[in-house]
Every structure is written in structure tokens, then in C-alpha cells.
Amino acid sequence: MIYLCRHGQTAFNREGRFQGQTESDLTAFGRAQARAMGDLLADLVARDPSDGWRIVASPLRRARHTAEAIAERTGLPLSFDDRLLEISVGEWSGRLREDIRRDNPELFASYEWAFRAPGGETFEDVTARVAGWLADQPLEGQRRLIVVSHGVAGRLLRGAYAGLSRADTLAQDVPQDAVYRLMGGQVDRFDCAPVADPELA
């Protein structure tokens, strides 16, 4: 069993900037989302109190800090794996999404936009990374994992697990307030308890 989640909201998310493998810290709202994911995961893990549960995360700060909040609430060990990194968006890193869209509207006609950044990774690059990580994990009945990754990388990991087509893989949601369970070839979503955005209070 794998519980997969995306990091909480970051400053770049709030500003509408491309992140890729650039560092951007969690906002106050993102930290609240991370704690909510931790609460939900603590409850989900308690329903299957098997030995061997652990957390593995992308080493980027936004995923690291989200994973640390989950570890604090679950008491589980935490490690990091570069194969769970977000897609590199090359020359788009740190740039406003609307600026890129204004200058290159044709690139955003489909979900394929993420793989069109100059100097960035391709669909095949990221799929190979995350599928390679998945292949190295224990057999499904023996694994008990919480994984903290990113938007595009998480989409492709779910797609690789469930054997989805490229189009269906890219059309998946990428929430920052939900957890996905990967089990028995199925992907099921669990929503966190709603949290307030302190900046909007």
C-alpha cells in the first residue's frame, strides 16, 4: 500500500510561478495543509497498524517540510529519494505562468505544456524516474509507504502505477489537500479536513 500526497501550497504556487526543481517555501496555508495531511494519514495508518510503515519524500524543501509535518503526526521514519523530484522546467523556473502563456499561447492548448519548457525534462524522463522508484519498492502486499512528491511527478507516478494512458495520466487532479491510496491496481482519493488560509482570514 502507498499513500501519495503532494506538498502544501508554496509562495510560487500562490504567485503563479513555475517551480520545477527550484526551491520555494511553504506558505502559512501550505503548512496548515501539511498538518491536515498528517492528521489524515495518522488516521489512515492507524487502520492498518502493520510494522514497516515509513515516509519517503522528494528532497526539495516544499516536499521535505510537508513530509516532516506528516512525520511529526505519525511518528514514522522519514527518508528522501531524488527520483521523486518534480519535473525540471528548465528556462521557465521561477517565471510567472501568465508571462509564459502570453508569449506562447499555443504551448498551453493541452496538458502537454509541462514538457515543453526549453531545457526541461520530458514525459519520458519523469516517467522513467518515478516508475524506476516504484519498481524498486517491496511487493505490493509487503509495502507500507507514505510518499510526498509534487504535481507533475505525482501525476506520472499514479499513471505508472495504474497503467493509465498518457492522456489520462496528465488529466488527473493534483490537489494539495488530499491523499491518494495506491493499492490493488486502484487509485483512491481521501480528502483532508478543510483548513483556513491565514492570509485570507
Side-chain angles (χ1 to χ4, degrees):
M1 187 186 312
I2 295 174
Y3 286 117
L4 173 66
C5 54
R6 184 184 177 195
H7 59 80
Q9 185 197 67
T10 68
F12 275 18
N13 290 151
R14 185 181 287 276
E15 295 165 7
R17 294 184 184 277
F18 285 106
Q19 293 184 115
Q21 295 178 5
T22 303
E23 295 285 15
S24 179
D25 288 322
L26 297 178
T27 61
F29 185 41
R31 293 191 295 275
Q33 289 175 319
R35 291 190 293 271
M37 283 187 273
D39 290 339
L40 174 58
L41 285 161
D43 178 62
L44 292 171
V45 168
R47 300 179 194 178
D48 181 5
S50 307
D51 291 336
W53 278 103
R54 60 188 176 90
I55 305 167
V56 59
S58 157
L60 291 173
R61 273 202 311 271
R62 57 194 185 267
R64 176 184 294 269
H65 291 166
T66 300
E68 288 170 348
I70 293 169
E72 181 177 340
R73 277 162 165 68
T74 61
L76 297 174
L78 169 59
S79 62
F80 303 94
D81 195 305
D82 288 347
R83 291 173 292 180
L84 298 173
L85 283 165
E86 180 59 303
I87 183 175
S88 168
V89 291
E91 296 176 17
W92 290 358
S93 296
R95 295 188 60 187
L96 288 168
R97 184 182 301 261
E98 284 309 308
D99 287 349
I100 302 295
R101 186 188 299 272
R102 183 189 63 239
D103 296 341
N104 306 275
E106 72 285 355
L107 297 181
F108 292 83
S110 75
Y111 291 114
E112 294 283 341
W113 60 262
F115 311 106
R116 293 173 175 167
E121 287 183 293
T122 66
F123 179 95
E124 291 75 19
D125 292 334
V126 184
T127 297
R129 275 204 281 114
V130 298
W133 175 85
L134 185 61
D136 284 346
Q137 303 316 304
L139 295 175
E140 182 157 25
Q142 301 170 0
R143 60 190 177 216
R144 298 290 184 273
L145 296 170
I146 293 171
V147 176
V148 183
S149 190
H150 302 270
V152 175
R155 268 192 186 118
L156 271 56
L157 179 56
R158 282 183 275 148
Y161 174 79
L164 300 181
S165 69
R166 182 176 178 129
D168 288 344
T169 293
L170 296 179
Q172 296 177 101
D173 286 342
V174 287
Q176 292 170 301
D177 59 355
V179 171
Y180 289 94
R181 182 181 64 196
L182 283 57
M183 184 176 71
Q186 297 291 117
V187 178
D188 297 299
R189 174 172 169 163
F190 298 82
D191 290 317
C192 300
V195 295
D197 186 341
E199 295 191 26
L200 299 179

